[in-house]
């Protein structure tokens, strides 16, 4: 059975048929759905100059805004870095679900939330949105990759710390030996 393309929750509330303002999902992370009006004045007023948009979005973004498509993997990592730097980001979804996947992955990556916690943050503001089943599996795999990368970093840091201590001890021993043998 083919998967539905629409990302709307079939058992939840109906999506609005009128434009809604963009919503702040987490500090500095804004989301606009298909029905949201996105205009340059509002983005400038909120200091948003970094936008990730679905390819079909008809957004009117500030001319000086940096924007990229949500289906490009480098966009996720670039915008996670922008968020870590303290600048706000907007994700504009077109209704195919890519934007929901993207904002969820961004929350998992930059806020260190689980996939379920990230989805809950999105659904709190947009109750008619749900993830596609394949998206959930992919996001859980992505979350697992991030956790494993953090574990590897921690092991590497521990190894570097113990190696540093060992080098200091060896240097101290060599220096002591050298100073004792000097006439």
């Amino acid at each position: 059975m083919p998967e539905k393309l629409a990302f709307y929750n079939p058992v939840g509330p109906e999506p609005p048929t009128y434009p809604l303002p963009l919503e702040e999902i987490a500090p500095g992370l804004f989301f606009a759905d298909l029905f949201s009006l996105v205009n340059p004045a509002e983005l400038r007023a909120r200091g948003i100059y970094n936008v990730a948009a679905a390819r079909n979005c008809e957004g009117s973004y500030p001319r000086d805004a940096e924007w990229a498509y949500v289906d490009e993997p480098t966009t996720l990592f670039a915008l996670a870095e922008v968020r870590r730097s303290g600048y706000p980001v907007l994700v504009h979804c077109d209704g195919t679900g890519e934007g929901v996947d993207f904002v969820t992955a961004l929350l998992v990556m930059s806020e260190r939330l689980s996939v379920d916690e990230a989805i809950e943050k999105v659904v709190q503001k947009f109750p008619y949105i749900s993830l596609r089943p394949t998206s959930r599996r992919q996001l859980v795999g992505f979350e697992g990759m991030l956790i494993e990368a953090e574990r590897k970093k921690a092991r590497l840091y521990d190894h570097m710390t113990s190696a540093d201590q060992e080098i200091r001890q060896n240097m101290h021993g060599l220096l002591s030996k050298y100073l004792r043998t000097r006439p």
Side-chain angles (χ1 to χ4, degrees):
M1 184 166 134
E3 181 182 337
K4 283 185 177 178
L5 287 180
F7 68 100
Y8 297 115
N9 184 346
V11 295
E14 287 292 314
T17 55
Y18 52 88
L20 293 174
L22 54 103
E23 290 279 349
E24 191 168 20
I25 303 278
L29 178 58
F30 295 87
F31 184 75
D33 71 354
L34 179 64
F35 304 104
S36 301
L37 288 178
V38 178
N39 66 61
E42 183 178 4
L43 294 180
R44 271 194 229 93
R46 294 182 185 232
I48 300 171
Y49 290 92
N50 298 284
V51 178
R55 292 196 183 266
N56 299 328
C57 277
E58 294 294 330
S60 178
Y61 311 121
R63 289 179 190 216
D64 51 351
E66 295 288 330
W67 70 278
Y69 292 119
V70 296
D71 61 356
E72 295 174 359
T74 55
T75 304
L76 178 65
F77 294 97
L79 288 183
E81 190 59 39
V82 167
R83 287 205 65 225
R84 280 192 283 273
S85 300
Y87 296 102
V89 168
L90 167 68
V91 177
H92 195 183
C93 184
D94 69 350
T96 62
E98 288 179 337
V100 178
D101 298 351
F102 188 89
V103 78
T104 304
L106 198 53
L107 284 167
V108 167
M109 189 174 193
S110 61
E111 300 282 322
R112 303 287 194 250
L113 297 177
S114 71
V115 170
D116 290 329
E117 292 168 331
I119 293 167
E120 182 59 34
K121 275 194 167 279
V122 175
V123 171
Q124 283 175 356
K125 301 284 182 165
F126 297 90
Y128 50 88
I129 289 176
S130 67
L131 278 180
R132 300 170 291 182
T134 55
S135 296
R136 180 178 290 283
R137 285 191 300 273
Q138 290 169 345
L139 286 164
V140 167
F142 177 68
E143 178 185 15
M145 286 174 25
L146 291 176
I147 290 168
E148 184 57 30
E150 288 295 321
R151 282 190 195 129
K152 285 180 180 178
K153 277 186 198 175
R155 283 194 303 263
L156 180 61
Y157 180 77
D158 290 345
H159 178 71
M160 288 171 54
T161 302
S162 66
D164 182 52
Q165 290 172 348
E166 187 178 327
I167 289 170
R168 286 176 189 263
Q169 288 172 349
N170 288 342
M171 291 299 290
H172 181 68
L174 289 171
L175 186 59
S176 297
K177 190 175 181 182
Y178 174 74
L179 290 175
R180 277 183 282 174
T181 58
R182 272 186 78 180

